[in-house]
Amino acid sequence: MSHRVLLAGIFHETHNFLEGLTPLGDFTTRRGDELFTARGDGSPLAGVLQVADEAGWTVIPVIDMRATPSATASDESVEVFWTAFRAAVEREAAAGIDGVYLVLHGAMVSKSFEDVEGEVLKRIRTLPPMVNVPICGVMDLHGNISPQNVESMQGMVAYRHNPHTDACQAAIDAARILDRILKSGERPVGLWEQPPVMWPPTGTGTADDPMRTLEAMARDIERQHPDILAVNVFGGFSFSDTKFTGPSFCAYTVGDVAVARKKLQELSAWCLAHKELGNRVDPSLDDVWPQVEANLKRGETPVVLVEPSDNIGGGAPGDGTSILRYLIRKGATNAAVVIDDGAAVATLSKHKPGERVRVTMGGRGSRMGEGPVELDVELVSTSNGRFQLEDRNSHLASMCGVNIDMGPCAVVRHEGVTILLTTRKTPPFDLGQLRSQGIIPEKLAIIGVKAAVAHRRAYEPIQKASYTVSTPGPCASDARIFPFQKVRRPIFPLDALQ
Ligand SMILES: [Zn+2]
């Protein structure tokens, strides 16, 4: 007999310190059979569909909503998801619902709900047909995970890598846990631990400590204890202001609960003891510039200047002008940056390539940045901004599949700096972004990148040097500059711990 599984997703990494709300219209919403269009596109949804096909589930596709990281979500987005989910349960209950699979982030906050995932799970459990139905799902490594979240599910797998090159695989692993539960009737127990720590996104790359060791410890636990079905290490997302912000650990076990709890406590204790390792505070552009000049002199290019304060993957507007200003001030040559500014693109679209235009660009997305820049530029080209990922396993595929739409784009040049202007902010996680616009990344001397960690898979193979720098902006690494209100206290690095 084929198992009937409800499939749904709601996915948003919420930056509570950005101004305004993320409206419903910013979510890409697919309903019913539209979810099947994700088949084979490298996304988590594609991963669960693959297992569903192999295992012969009858998938009941409900709704999938996703938006790129941005300000606090409107409650409407939660209610649209919930209305669709509840209607599906009411419609399908008579025929039987054997399981639920959810594609979630873990750091979604709406105006009224600081733990959207926990709220959704709580509501699902209140529907009479759903009291005992197993719920499994996949989460982003940057989730701020509540105990409610963990205990409401019977299996969950978080991405193991940051950059998130394994989002589809994590979804597959979680789907296999659900398939095991459906076939065996087991009821795994979810356990949760959290230390009083939070780290900026720059501290959560899995190639470096603390995350590298924590991930290795978690995989060891899975190998040594086959009855622990998954051990998840969450790095947390420090720009969400919630009670449970920060690293957390969870496990699902069909064996001895005390053993699994002890293992999680070991992870949590290691995290606390090594908390400083994740607390990156970056040097300024002035601090690193002598090294950049030395690289240029030795022909060690491209040099990548990474700007976490305008990290698009973390919700920043992607229109900060600090690096652009600096490169111009220093007379940099053969440099490139990307600035999201649809208004500037609209102005430029009235001109022909080769024309010189005075245009104001960037700096409008956040009060924390340095503001717009006005420049005389030469228009190089315009395009519709669509491209396909060169790397189908890139971090970007975990968020939106392989077909990327930057909206109308313009490439302009001011002295030695080439600027790609986009209409939809697009995280710099794939070299196709530049190459599709005629900018060859390997040939550049300096590239400004608005990211924290997730750009590395794309840029590390071509860069000869990389500097992560501190500039003013809403995703700055120093947590102490943000007005936290809801996070549990005391917490490192806001408070001195005993
Ligand atoms: Zn993430």
Side-chain angles (χ1 to χ4, degrees):
M1 189 202 75
S2 172
H3 290 110
R4 291 165 49 81
V5 176
L6 286 190
L7 175 59
I10 182 164
F11 187 96
H12 186 241
E13 186 176 76
T14 305
H15 192 318
N16 288 134
F17 302 114
L18 292 169
E19 294 113 64
L21 288 177
T22 298
L24 177 63
D26 280 9
F27 283 80
T28 301
T29 301
R30 289 180 283 192
R31 292 170 182 273
D33 287 348
E34 287 171 355
L35 271 69
F36 294 134
T37 60
R39 270 205 177 90
D41 76 357
S43 66
L45 213 44
V48 56
L49 290 171
Q50 181 192 321
V51 174
D53 290 346
E54 287 165 11
W57 299 350
T58 300
V59 173
I60 302 154
V62 182
I63 186 168
D64 180 77
M65 300 175 66
R66 50 193 54 247
T68 53
S70 51
T72 307
S74 69
D75 287 340
E76 205 187 349
S77 51
V78 182
E79 300 310 333
V80 163
F81 175 89
W82 179 243
T83 302
F85 195 92
R86 191 181 52 201
V89 170
E90 285 165 0
R91 192 181 65 235
E92 303 292 339
I97 298 168
D98 301 309
V100 174
Y101 191 100
L102 299 173
V103 178
L104 303 172
H105 184 284
M108 180 166 177
V109 182
S110 77
K111 199 160 180 289
S112 306
F113 304 111
E114 66 174 80
D115 176 14
V116 168
E117 293 85 357
E119 175 68 20
V120 164
L121 286 158
K122 186 176 81 185
R123 290 188 190 185
I124 293 174
R125 286 292 182 221
T126 62
L127 298 175
M130 304 305 287
V131 174
N132 287 313
V133 171
I135 304 174
C136 290
V138 60
M139 296 257 191
D140 190 287
L141 170 149
H142 292 108
N144 294 318
I145 304 300
S146 66
Q148 160 120 51
N149 222 303
V150 174
E151 289 156 15
S152 305
M153 299 176 86
Q154 282 62 57
M156 173 228 292
V157 175
Y159 311 160
R160 273 72 167 104
H161 295 279
N162 180 25
H164 303 328
T165 50
D166 64 326
C168 183
Q169 185 59 49
I172 288 172
D173 294 343
R176 294 212 167 111
I177 293 176
L178 179 57
D179 193 52
R180 170 176 168 154
I181 294 171
L182 292 173
K183 286 177 175 146
S184 68
E186 289 166 315
R187 187 91 180 168
V189 175
L191 301 165
W192 171 93
E193 285 289 330
Q194 183 167 52
V197 171
M198 91 185 147
W199 290 323
T202 42
T204 63
T206 48
D208 303 310
D209 276 331
M211 289 296 282
R212 180 175 56 184
T213 297
L214 288 167
E215 278 294 335
M217 289 167 76
R219 283 338 112 219
D220 278 346
I221 297 167
E222 288 176 342
R223 268 191 296 277
Q224 288 161 14
H225 300 272
D227 48 5
I228 300 179
L229 306 185
V231 180
N232 297 308
V233 175
F234 288 93
F237 185 64
S238 59
F239 305 128
S240 287
D241 182 14
T242 75
K243 188 176 173 195
F244 299 107
T245 295
S248 65
F249 307 93
C250 74
Y252 288 87
T253 183
V254 290
D256 188 337
V257 167
V259 170
R261 177 159 314 280
K262 183 164 167 293
K263 289 289 152 192
L264 287 188
Q265 285 165 345
E266 287 171 16
L267 286 168
S268 188
W270 194 95
C271 174
L272 183 58
H274 297 83
K275 59 188 183 301
E276 293 282 357
L277 294 177
N279 189 34
R280 298 288 159 81
V281 179
D282 307 312
S284 69
L285 279 158
D286 276 334
D287 291 334
V288 304
W289 192 250
Q291 291 160 268
V292 173
E293 286 190 311
N295 291 128
L296 297 178
K297 217 170 268 166
R298 293 194 292 264
E300 294 162 358
T301 61
V303 176
V304 173
L305 295 175
V306 184
E307 184 181 29
S309 72
D310 199 19
N311 172 14
I312 297 172
D319 76 339
T321 55
S322 298
I323 286 186
L324 173 61
R325 287 164 187 271
Y326 196 84
L327 292 174
I328 292 171
R329 197 155 71 236
K330 291 291 179 183
T333 56
N334 194 22
V337 299
V338 182
I339 303 268
D340 186 63
D341 191 334
V345 175
T347 302
L348 288 156
S349 67
K350 299 181 189 110
H351 297 268
K352 291 193 173 59
E355 285 184 19
R356 296 203 70 84
V357 187
R358 186 150 186 91
V359 61
T360 302
M361 59 181 79
R364 284 180 280 252
S366 167
R367 282 189 300 244
M368 296 177 77
E370 288 191 66
V373 172
E374 196 179 358
L375 291 176
D376 283 316
V377 299
E378 178 196 342
L379 178 61
V380 177
S381 62
T382 56
S383 80
N384 65 12
R386 296 196 191 124
F387 73 98
Q388 238 188 28
L389 294 183
E390 293 181 5
D391 174 4
R392 295 179 70 86
N393 292 318
S394 94
H395 194 102
L396 205 52
S398 74
M399 296 159 74
C400 31
V402 294
N403 297 308
I404 309 299
D405 183 357
M406 302 188 283
C409 285
V411 176
V412 299
R413 199 173 288 137
H414 175 86
E415 296 170 0
V417 183
T418 299
I419 306 150
L420 166 58
L421 294 158
T422 61
T423 299
R424 293 174 71 173
K425 64 175 182 174
T426 305
F429 301 161
D430 190 273
L431 299 179
Q433 179 181 29
L434 296 175
R435 211 185 311 281
S436 65
Q437 305 304 307
I439 303 168
I440 310 304
E442 293 85 349
K443 293 188 175 164
L444 292 165
I446 301 176
I447 310 173
V449 168
K450 296 177 178 303
V453 171
H455 65 286
R456 288 184 188 166
R457 181 171 161 111
Y459 283 89
E460 272 179 354
I462 66 157
Q463 74 196 24
K464 294 295 187 300
S466 169
Y467 302 96
T468 299
V469 295
S470 160
T471 55
C475 287
S477 291
D478 187 350
R480 287 164 298 193
I481 68 172
F482 296 99
F484 282 96
Q485 290 179 336
K486 293 182 177 160
V487 74
R488 67 203 176 285
R489 305 295 287 263
I491 189 168
F492 172 86
L494 304 183
D495 305 299
L497 300 181
Q498 300 300 330

